[in-house]
Amino acid sequence: MKVAIFADLHGRLLLAFKLVERYQRETGQNIDLILQCGDVGIFPELDHLDTATLRFARRDRSELGFHDYFTIPHRKAQEVLEKTDCQMVCVRGNHEDHEFLDGLEQLNPDQTLFPVDCYKRVFVCKSGHIQQFTHEDATLNVLGVGRAGDRKNRDNATFIQPYERRQLRQTISAKPTIDILISHDVPTDMTDPGYGMKELRPALDALRPSYHFYGHTGKPFHQEPDNNQVTQSVKVAELEYKRQETLAYGAMLLLTVEVDQPLHLEVVEAPWLKEYTKSNWLYVD
């Protein structure tokens, strides 16, 4: 099983699918799943944009990519999606339309994954639940935890909610076997004193997955052993350009899952990635 991993799309879902399609074309290897670490930029209605997204969108329309390409069928998006067959499975970030996502979550009370786009290719997983993905004989067990942590314990929708904390505690108590944890935020104090999500540390210490992938911090790609001495903690670079013309190192990762073999992670670093520049990625085939 081949799994592409991205973080912090901020509306650039189409770019992620374009990179997956290009990887398949260049290597002849199919990607079976996309995992995404939050800040997808799910804003179907532009009057629901948060302040930061609105500010960035004034300079870069691609911040509104979910609205432009994934709410109503669009020819450009359909052409890319027809060349891939994988789902994108995300956790919530702090920059999403949480009112919209809450409504969809409530409409699917018995499902731990729910679709958010018009093509039913993009799914958000409910925090604290285990997702199992299979391809041929390979299996991957994933725990997702969305939104951001808050040291002030506020109940704003951008922060992890009480019902999500309860679900995460229940899952930890059951002690399931998980292969990876995906979250938007980082464990408290891991990168900056006082910042992070305190709920992640019990999950990492009790369940000890092979990998933990996260975004949110704005820091570059980085991989290091977690404090539990088992998990590899991986900061995935944002799929955005900021002041640079090309994507940052570590913006696209690839995880290979094989039966009875350790998970294998690689940074996708190919010459063709440089073709997808800030000014022209939308038009590159």
Side-chain angles (χ1 to χ4, degrees), residues 68-87:
D68 289 348
Y69 298 106
F70 285 83
T71 54
I72 298 173
H74 190 287
R75 179 185 57 80
K76 190 177 292 291
Q78 287 176 310
E79 288 175 353
V80 175
L81 293 174
E82 286 171 359
K83 298 174 184 177
T84 66
D85 57 12
C86 55
Q87 295 178 347

Side-chain angles (χ1 to χ4, degrees), residues 116-256:
V116 298
D117 68 311
C118 64
Y119 313 103
K120 294 195 168 32
R121 294 286 296 276
V122 181
F123 290 76
V124 168
C125 60
K126 297 180 181 179
S127 286
H129 291 273
I130 304 291
Q131 313 296 333
Q132 185 175 88
F133 304 100
T134 59
H135 178 71
E136 296 180 352
D137 294 329
T139 300
L140 185 70
N141 293 312
V142 178
L143 173 62
V145 180
R147 310 197 215 218
D150 178 39
R151 57 183 174 169
K152 297 181 180 179
N153 296 315
R154 289 168 288 185
D155 60 1
N156 184 290
T158 61
F159 304 120
I160 187 169
Q161 299 293 294
Y163 77 93
E164 294 171 318
R165 293 192 188 98
R166 289 193 297 272
Q167 179 58 52
L168 184 56
R169 288 195 296 267
Q170 290 176 14
T171 296
I172 293 170
S173 296
K175 296 184 177 178
T177 298
I178 65 169
D179 300 300
I180 67 175
L181 167 67
I182 59 170
S183 67
H184 184 55
D185 210 346
V186 65
T188 302
D189 297 331
M190 186 169 176
T191 56
D192 295 293
Y195 288 90
M197 181 180 283
K198 62 186 178 182
E199 292 81 5
L200 293 173
R201 176 48 52 199
L204 287 163
D205 288 346
L207 305 182
R208 297 157 71 92
S210 296
Y211 285 95
H212 171 211
F213 299 102
Y214 65 93
H216 183 56
T217 66
K219 298 181 183 297
F221 170 83
H222 181 68
Q223 179 174 341
E224 64 179 334
D226 181 71
N227 292 344
N228 67 20
Q229 299 302 309
V230 172
T231 305
Q232 286 293 309
S233 177
V234 183
K235 166 62 177 66
V236 186
E238 290 87 349
L239 197 73
E240 56 185 51
Y241 294 94
K242 296 182 179 178
R243 294 180 178 87
Q244 58 196 30
E245 188 64 16
T246 57
L247 293 168
Y249 177 81
M252 181 179 183
L253 309 182
L254 189 72
L255 189 73
T256 301

